[in-house]
Amino acid sequence: MANTNIDWNNIGFGYIPTDYNVRCYYRDGKWGEIEVSSSDSINIHMAATALHYGQEIFEGLKAFRGKDGKVRVFRLEANAARIRQSAEGIKMAPVPEDLFRKMVIKAVQLNERFIPPYGSGASLYIRPLEIGLSANIGVKPAQEYLFMIMVTPVGPYFKGGFSTTDVCIMREFDRVAPKGTGRWKVGGNYAASLAAGQKANELGYSAVLYLDPKEKQYIDECGPANFFGIKDGKYITPASDSILPSVTNNSLMQIARDLGIEVECRPVHVDEIATLDEAAECGTAAVASPIGNIVDLDLDKKYVISKDGKPGPVTTKLYNALRAIQLGEAEDKHGWNTIIEL
């Protein structure tokens, strides 16, 4: 078994070995039984469609140990629905939502000792993954698939925690193609972002704010996360067929409505950045990461979002409200949490 001699207050966002993962195979037109494995390796044919033609999809969600000692998985059903949509999008065998649920719960239960304590700021990251296994040299969908769930304890995605970072716009890079795979969580979208992300990091920015791949006029996504801004008291987030529908963004929009904040999901022109009072990137890993400045490298233009270098009041309020629900500190009136029996 893996060692749990972990400094919970100082772990980063990386892979730490745990005791078990859970797996299920799709063969002969049906899903099999749930299997438990202590191996961190998988046996895959060298001609598997996952390796040659990108039949690979994944999800990311978290389990939290709450103030009351209970363990909660946040938005399990939403992630189950999204991975099904991803599967349908690239012609993979969809994982039934009940199977997804059972496997997530089992993976968390089996690795209970790796769930960080309440108050540490850490969580148990849950990574569901589906890959095509069939040996196909021709370009066609696999007939066999592996769905598995691994977990690992993680700290904050950004080392600075909930603090502002700067992002940049680089028009030389596209994340996805119009009407392509951007709306699904496939590995290829992230592979396409690596060169831009590395260049941005080398220049001192935390992420790239991508513009739409067709016209380069509208805000798309912010690296591996969705983008939102606060303008005149409204929550504004881009709408596009190439943007991954973020579970976190969806949650923040609902919380905003609960707080009486008007929400607009619509195309956001790049020039509108100058009118934003606050901005942030949001996703499972970081929840909400406030943006201090946005620098358009092509136009040599800097948009100062945070005048004092601190997170804005609305972003802070939304972040704290979402975290409170995840940790059992606030009422879960939308039924987002799945409580795990341990």
Side-chain angles (χ1 to χ4, degrees):
M1 285 190 172
N3 184 6
T4 51
N5 185 23
I6 298 171
D7 181 357
W8 295 115
N9 295 299
N10 292 296
I11 63 173
F13 197 92
Y15 177 72
I16 295 174
T18 52
D19 291 334
Y20 302 103
N21 56 80
V22 292
R23 311 178 181 197
C24 188
Y25 289 88
Y26 180 89
R27 298 186 177 108
D28 300 321
K30 62 181 184 298
W31 289 97
E33 297 297 317
I34 297 173
E35 302 175 13
V36 175
S37 175
S38 58
S39 173
D40 57 7
S41 299
I42 57 176
N43 186 22
I44 186 170
H45 196 283
M46 63 182 178
T49 59
L51 302 178
H52 295 257
Y53 304 120
Q55 273 203 305
E56 182 273 347
I57 55 178
F58 68 100
E59 278 298 320
L61 59 163
K62 289 180 176 178
F64 303 87
R65 199 179 296 275
K67 187 175 184 179
D68 55 5
K70 295 180 179 179
V71 172
R72 294 168 172 83
V73 175
F74 186 68
R75 301 300 303 266
L76 186 157
E77 289 80 7
N79 284 271
R82 190 170 65 176
I83 199 170
R84 183 180 185 88
Q85 292 161 2
S86 295
E88 292 168 347
I90 60 170
K91 299 303 178 183
M92 300 178 72
V95 177
E97 293 185 18
D98 183 58
L99 177 61
F100 183 97
R101 178 184 179 86
K102 288 178 180 177
M103 290 178 66
V104 167
I105 292 173
K106 195 171 192 67
V108 173
Q109 290 173 330
L110 288 169
N111 294 285
E112 178 190 357
R113 68 197 189 99
F114 291 94
I115 304 171
Y118 172 77
S120 64
S123 58
L124 185 71
Y125 188 82
I126 304 165
R127 170 55 59 84
L129 169 73
E130 184 180 354
I131 58 174
L133 295 180
S134 301
N136 287 343
I137 293 301
V139 182
K140 59 182 179 180
Q143 296 78 48
E144 296 186 357
Y145 295 90
L146 166 62
F147 177 61
M148 63 183 299
I149 296 179
M150 54 172 276
V151 301
T152 188
V154 296
Y157 188 73
F158 293 110
K159 292 181 181 179
F162 187 71
S163 58
T164 59
T165 63
D166 293 349
V167 303
C168 65
I169 297 171
M170 289 190 286
R171 290 172 178 79
E172 64 187 285
F173 294 101
D174 287 328
R175 188 184 66 89
V176 294
K179 302 287 187 179
T181 59
R183 73 201 94 165
W184 306 313
K185 201 168 178 68
V186 303
N189 296 345
Y190 296 82
S193 74
L194 293 177
Q198 182 173 314
K199 184 173 181 179
N201 293 158
E202 289 171 353
L203 293 172
Y205 301 101
S206 66
V208 177
L209 178 58
Y210 291 93
L211 301 184
D212 74 282
K214 185 176 182 180
E215 301 179 69
K216 298 291 185 179
Q217 292 293 317
Y218 296 90
I219 297 174
D220 198 69
E221 284 205 306
C222 195
N226 273 196
F227 175 90
F228 74 84
I230 305 299
K231 176 183 176 181
D232 300 328
K234 298 178 182 178
Y235 183 109
I236 298 171
T237 191
S240 165
D241 288 334
S242 63
I243 295 176
L244 180 74
S246 163
V247 174
T248 303
N249 197 5
N250 176 277
S251 304
L252 290 170
M253 284 190 277
Q254 183 58 60
I255 291 171
R257 294 187 186 101
D258 293 344
L259 295 173
I261 298 171
E262 186 177 341
V263 173
E264 294 182 358
C265 184
R266 58 170 173 78
V268 180
H269 196 277
V270 63
D271 291 344
E272 199 170 340
I273 292 174
T275 68
L276 297 177
D277 301 311
E278 302 177 35
E281 48 186 310
C282 60
T284 298
V287 182
S289 179
I291 295 171
N293 302 293
I294 299 174
V295 179
D296 191 324
L297 297 178
D298 300 293
L299 303 182
D300 193 24
K301 189 173 184 179
K302 181 177 181 178
Y303 300 94
V304 178
I305 306 298
S306 174
K307 304 298 187 294
D308 60 2
K310 297 178 181 179
V314 178
T315 301
T316 300
K317 191 172 186 178
L318 293 171
Y319 172 85
N320 288 336
L322 180 54
R323 293 285 290 145
I325 294 170
Q326 292 174 331
L327 295 170
E329 298 169 347
E331 180 187 1
D332 178 22
K333 61 182 180 181
H334 297 290
W336 287 339
N337 288 318
T338 297
I339 295 178
I340 307 297
E341 299 295 333
L342 299 172

